[in-house]
Amino acid sequence: MLEQEIETKEKEILVDRQGEVLTGASPHKLSKSFYIESYGCAMNFSDSEIVASILNKEGYGPTKEMDQADLVLINTCSIREKAEDTIRQRLTVFNKAKRENKKLVIGVLGCMAERLKTKLMEEEKLVDLVVGPDAYRELPGLVNAALTGQKGINVLLSREETYDDITPLRLESNGVLAYISIMRGCDNMCSFCVVPFTRGRERSRNAFTIVAEAQDVFDRGYKEVTLLGQNVDSYRWENPETGAAVSFAELLVMVAEVNPKLRVRFSTSHPKDITDEVLYAIRDHHNICNYIHLPAQSGNSRILKLMNRTYDRPWYEAKINRIYELIPDCTISSDIITGFCTETEEEHQDTIDLIKWSKFILSYMFYYSERPGTMAARKYEDDIPYETKKRRLAEIVDVQREESRQSNLKDIGRTYEVLVEGNSKKSDLQFKGKTGRFKMVIFDKIPGVLPGDYVMVKIESCNSATLFGHITKKID
Ligand code: SAH
Ligand code: SF4
Ligand code: F3S
């Protein structure tokens, strides 16, 4: 039940964002079409928009129907074993389509392509292309070769590629939220994590192209940008002409200054790297949202050391205190891994205690999944039984749910500025939108208010995941 809930949550994110890539009219005259499914983190979804743009220039238009496509792509995730299992299941469906239509080209992109390389092609005989996250510019050439029956692979990682000059193809016609990659790769070596192996070395994108992209999406009606990176606080771009470096705090301000009506979010922050300058930027700019995703992973210092997170419990608590000191109404969320190698019941209790102490408004919670090649896989035994992992996960999910509910209860009676995102899932008569503090709000539609508008919403009730209220006024 529990796992299903988490899976569903991941799928919802997937479906929401997949719509963005696949709907709307294409700016070019197109002769062929591609279908793309994306899995994993926001950066992978953002990459799919880059892939869509590269293919679009080659005459491929997006389609939502797999059976109408000439090219079927799956942008994959390796973060946990389950993520890879889901993708293998999808590949069996694609392979069936290929058996019915021999001309169909099937390509695997992203982290699983990078991790498994040629092995993926040996395992999945009907896959034509395997392309890693830094090789998407090669995709058109590889697709052309595949059309003549040649299998293609490019999994070279790069120290420079940031796809700077590529404007992602965002095809959603009434788009409100846009995601902008500001860096790629990761130089941290968290012992459990496969990302440094699948995404390569960390590199930051040109600050001016980031600001130009933010300006472009704002000009096209988007009202919120999320700046993406595995560790945004270590963003550092050196201007080759002047030698001057731009820090993440400076970048945040540059993007915030595009327009006061453009909300700015970012993800993910690392507790060891987030600076006071970033907190000042949030405090001093109304349109930089008062919300920080600050994954703790564990509440126990010994486990954090084994995880190679490079901070301990007191350091994490000091960061949280500093955030609440500088920005008292800031909300914080987290990622948690439970059942990491050698974790005791007491250490698990420390994590429960941290969730309560930190007042996270939400956490993305996982049980540990050993990933081949990582430091943890090489050095430590994955010794917590599956049943124990699942029980501990259920416990932290319960604790977090109650914390989320308590946090939401405090919002009842208050009025918040909400950015209208679109229809609520359950009713066309209601809108959904988020407060700056990252709380989802559902409220009745009123005449004259459309997606992309800012409204004031008075909160009347809640559950652990959502606030419910009514519009008190539209903000012009
Ligand atoms: N760069 C981000 C997280 C990227 S991965 C950060 O450092 O916080 C997203 C989340 O997946 C991680 O925060 C972690 O909680 C989880 N995760 C990563 N590897 C995992 C593994 N091997 N097993 C279970 N969860 C994992
Ligand atoms: Fe993985 Fe750690 Fe890098 Fe996040 S910071 S992507 S958890 S190695
Ligand atoms: Fe998954 Fe790769 Fe993102 S492993 S979480 S898609 S960086």
Side-chain angles (χ1 to χ4, degrees):
M1 183 57 201
L2 192 62
E3 266 170 58
Q4 259 167 7
E5 275 173 33
I6 292 164
E7 290 284 294
T8 310
K9 175 110 190 123
E10 286 179 353
K11 273 195 203 113
E12 278 168 16
I13 296 167
L14 171 77
V15 170
D16 276 0
R17 302 248 16 229
Q18 200 170 315
E20 269 175 48
V21 184
L22 294 175
T23 55
S26 173
H28 298 281
K29 194 171 176 299
L30 305 163
S31 51
K32 288 170 260 160
S33 62
F34 70 93
Y35 168 91
I36 188 165
E37 271 182 25
S38 306
Y39 294 83
C41 61
M43 269 156 283
N44 232 28
F45 283 84
S46 177
D47 278 4
S48 291
E49 295 178 341
I50 289 168
V51 167
S53 171
I54 292 172
L55 289 172
N56 197 248
K57 288 212 175 65
E58 297 295 315
Y60 281 84
T63 173
K64 272 183 155 178
E65 307 301 328
M66 186 169 70
D67 56 9
Q68 285 171 15
D70 305 284
L71 171 63
V72 170
L73 298 171
I74 183 160
N75 196 357
T76 61
C77 175
S78 287
I79 200 82
R80 287 168 288 276
E81 199 176 351
K82 261 189 134 199
E84 291 199 350
D85 290 346
T86 309
I87 285 151
R88 283 183 206 281
Q89 278 167 21
R90 291 303 293 156
L91 279 173
T92 57
V93 175
F94 296 170
N95 287 342
K96 194 163 159 273
K98 170 127 179 154
R99 268 184 229 109
E100 280 157 22
N101 170 12
K102 295 262 175 325
K103 280 201 216 129
L104 189 64
V105 173
I106 297 183
V108 182
L109 315 177
C111 291
M112 210 171 150
E114 193 61 51
R115 193 177 85 74
L116 294 169
K117 304 185 171 64
T118 50
K119 212 167 144 230
L120 192 60
M121 240 169 212
E122 288 152 20
E123 283 173 27
E124 304 282 343
K125 296 262 182 309
L126 296 176
V127 167
D128 303 294
L129 304 169
V130 173
V131 186
D134 286 345
Y136 296 145
R137 286 179 202 270
E138 306 304 320
L139 200 53
L142 292 166
V143 172
N144 284 338
L147 287 169
T148 64
Q150 296 167 53
K151 298 236 170 195
I153 180 159
N154 190 332
V155 287
L156 288 176
L157 287 172
S158 157
R159 276 173 181 260
E160 287 93 33
E161 181 63 273
T162 56
Y163 300 110
D164 249 39
D165 53 319
I166 295 177
T167 307
L169 192 65
R170 284 177 245 268
L171 296 165
E172 198 192 12
S173 52
N174 65 347
V176 178
L177 315 178
Y179 297 80
I180 301 181
S181 285
I182 62 162
M183 57 205 298
R184 300 183 70 82
C186 184
D187 280 353
N188 294 325
M189 275 286 171
C190 303
S191 64
F192 51 80
C193 184
V194 78
V195 172
F197 304 95
T198 62
R199 294 255 161 184
R201 299 303 298 266
E202 181 184 290
R203 66 223 97 120
S204 297
R205 178 179 169 189
N206 181 322
F208 297 122
T209 67
I210 295 169
V211 173
E213 197 175 319
Q215 181 72 57
D216 176 59
V217 293
F218 183 74
D219 291 345
R220 287 193 286 129
Y222 289 81
K223 292 292 170 51
E224 182 178 304
V225 291
T226 304
L227 307 181
L228 298 175
Q230 293 296 356
N231 180 8
V232 288
D233 302 291
S234 67
Y235 175 89
R236 190 178 182 279
W237 179 72
E238 220 169 89
N239 186 334
E241 275 155 33
T242 61
V246 177
S247 69
F248 179 59
E250 288 162 337
L251 179 74
L252 261 183
V253 173
M254 285 163 76
V255 176
E257 284 174 352
V258 162
N259 195 294
K261 287 273 175 199
L262 182 69
R263 267 188 180 177
V264 185
R265 298 189 188 276
F266 52 94
S267 183
T268 301
S269 292
H270 194 296
K272 82 174 158 60
D273 291 322
I274 189 165
T275 60
D276 277 359
E277 282 66 35
V278 169
L279 303 182
Y280 296 142
I282 300 171
R283 184 193 63 185
D284 297 341
H285 292 80
H286 175 73
N287 59 329
I288 305 179
C289 293
N290 287 5
Y291 164 70
I292 300 173
H293 183 55
L294 195 72
Q297 310 299 359
S298 166
N300 176 269
S301 293
R302 188 186 75 87
I303 293 293
L304 286 168
K305 193 162 176 34
L306 291 185
M307 287 177 163
N308 200 29
R309 287 291 285 184
T310 70
Y311 55 84
D312 57 12
R313 168 83 180 248
W315 171 282
Y316 189 85
E317 289 189 357
K319 276 289 165 200
I320 300 276
N321 281 335
R322 187 70 177 148
I323 294 169
Y324 289 143
E325 181 188 339
L326 290 179
I327 318 161
D329 71 338
C330 195
T331 52
I332 302 172
S333 62
S334 181
D335 291 348
I336 303 282
I337 297 178
T338 190
F340 188 65
C341 316
T342 73
E343 184 189 68
T344 65
E345 287 301 326
E346 291 72 34
E347 289 164 340
H348 165 60
Q349 287 304 324
D350 286 344
T351 297
I352 288 181
D353 178 68
L354 183 73
I355 294 172
K356 291 182 182 164
W357 183 88
S358 304
K359 308 216 171 305
F360 298 136
I361 57 156
L362 71 102
S363 292
Y364 300 95
M365 294 161 279
F366 316 98
Y367 60 76
Y368 173 59
S369 165
E370 186 177 83
R371 306 314 291 133
T374 55
M375 201 217 287
R378 283 183 277 121
K379 278 176 64 176
Y380 314 124
E381 191 190 339
D382 179 13
D383 59 350
I384 307 299
Y386 179 63
E387 288 310 318
T388 308
K389 285 180 179 174
K390 278 185 65 168
R391 189 219 349 118
R392 288 183 189 170
L393 180 62
E395 286 172 10
I396 61 170
V397 166
D398 278 352
V399 170
Q400 179 60 63
R401 191 174 286 145
E402 182 53 21
E403 282 306 311
S404 304
R405 205 175 69 85
Q406 289 301 333
S407 167
N408 284 352
L409 281 172
K410 289 199 190 109
D411 289 332
I412 293 176
R414 293 188 189 164
T415 303
Y416 287 105
E417 185 182 288
V418 172
L419 172 60
V420 182
E421 292 177 15
N423 284 352
S424 94
K425 242 172 234 147
K426 289 194 183 137
S427 164
D428 287 353
L429 301 175
Q430 291 186 312
F431 277 138
K432 65 173 179 181
K434 280 192 226 67
T435 66
R437 305 164 82 226
F438 207 64
K439 300 241 182 139
M440 181 60 82
V441 192
I442 307 284
F443 44 96
D444 285 348
K445 290 182 180 178
I446 61 168
V449 170
L450 294 168
D453 287 339
Y454 289 98
V455 287
M456 297 306 292
V457 176
K458 182 160 190 200
I459 308 304
E460 288 151 343
S461 62
C462 72
N463 59 31
S464 63
T466 314
L467 302 174
F468 303 92
H470 68 272
I471 298 176
T472 59
K473 79 171 185 203
K474 181 177 167 183
I475 303 169
D476 292 319

